[in-house]
Amino acid sequence: MPLIGWVFILLAIGLVLGSLFMLRDSAGKFRISDDKMKKIQERKAELEAGESAEDREN
């Protein structure tokens, strides 16, 4: 394979790895307020209660 092919392959690998590392680093920066977290947990509990009620009916 010519040299330019290896350069493109290395560049593509570098871009993918760089994107993954940036995604990993930014994953913890999004904070949810306490009010929103409470609403999320309440909604989750409602959904789980509904699913368990459906399971009991079947």
Side-chain angles (χ1 to χ4, degrees):
M1 185 183 302
L3 181 63
I4 193 71
W6 288 109
V7 170
F8 280 129
I9 289 173
L10 290 175
L11 181 64
I13 291 171
L15 285 172
V16 169
L17 289 176
S19 298
L20 289 174
F21 285 129
M22 283 179 35
L23 182 63
R24 182 195 65 182
D25 291 342
S26 66
K29 293 182 181 178
F30 299 107
R31 301 288 179 224
I32 298 176
S33 68
D34 292 336
D35 294 335
K36 286 185 181 182
M37 184 57 95
K38 185 178 177 183
K39 287 181 183 179
I40 290 169
Q41 290 172 347
E42 289 173 358
R43 180 67 179 144
K44 182 180 175 185
E46 290 174 7
L47 289 173
E48 288 176 354
E51 288 176 357
S52 64
E54 288 178 5
D55 289 343
R56 280 187 246 130
E57 291 176 0
N58 294 331

